């Protein structure tokens, strides 16, 4: 039993990280469609491609009505793309995200 002492801390951390991914949606790498080993250049290219594709001004739903369900969905996804890029393009934020699964300490404390 002595070998298991303190082992729950690691288990709790893994559960917390999985809960974060589940509650907050897909992780930033999946949102941008890049691997965890992606270079800064690859992340930037993926962001620009997705931002152009999913920009609310390009959405047919937003052209009809800014209040439409499709427009709101488009805006939400566009914001997720921006948040993912903001985190992964900054070396310090990316390192923190890779270690904890959170964008910053404030987000981690709110979880």
């Amino acid at each position: 039993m002595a070998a298991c002492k303190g082992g729950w801390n690691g288990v709790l951390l893994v559960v917390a990280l999985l809960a974060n991914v589940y509650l907050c949606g897909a992780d930033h790498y999946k949102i941008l469609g890049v691997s965890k080993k992606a270079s800064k250049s690859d992340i930037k290219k993926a962001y620009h491609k997705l931002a152009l594709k999913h920009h609310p001004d390009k959405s047919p739903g937003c052209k009809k009505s800014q209040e439409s369900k499709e427009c709101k969905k488009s805006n939400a996804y566009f914001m997720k793309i921006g948040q993912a890029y903001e985190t992964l393009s900054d070396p310090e934020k990316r390192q923190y995200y890779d270690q904890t699964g959170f964008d910053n300490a404030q987000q981690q404390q709110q979880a």
Side-chain angles (χ1 to χ4, degrees):
M1 282 302 231
C4 292
K5 187 177 181 180
W8 286 105
N9 290 339
V11 172
L12 292 175
L13 177 63
V14 169
V15 170
L17 290 174
L18 291 174
N20 177 54
V21 171
Y22 177 76
L23 294 172
C24 298
D27 75 55
H28 293 331
Y29 293 101
K30 286 184 182 179
I31 290 170
L32 293 180
V34 296
S35 74
K36 291 190 177 193
K37 295 179 181 180
S39 69
K40 194 170 183 175
S41 174
D42 292 337
I43 290 169
K44 187 174 184 177
K45 286 177 191 174
Y47 165 73
H48 282 285
K49 182 178 177 182
L50 289 170
L52 285 173
K53 181 178 179 182
H54 295 285
H55 194 281
D57 289 347
K58 302 272 186 181
S59 170
C62 290
K63 289 179 183 177
K64 294 176 188 173
S65 168
Q66 293 291 317
E67 298 301 317
S68 72
K69 195 174 196 178
E70 186 180 339
C71 186
K72 289 180 181 180
K73 185 177 178 182
S74 181
N75 282 332
Y77 192 68
F78 184 73
M79 291 177 71
K80 281 184 180 182
I81 293 167
Q83 181 63 43
Y85 177 70
E86 180 183 333
T87 300
L88 298 181
S89 64
D90 181 297
E92 289 179 19
K93 289 180 182 180
R94 183 176 181 179
Q95 182 181 12
Y96 188 85
Y97 178 78
D98 288 343
Q99 291 173 349
T100 65
F102 294 95
D103 290 344
N104 55 50
Q106 289 175 334
Q107 184 187 40
Q108 186 175 6
Q109 289 172 353
Q110 292 173 354

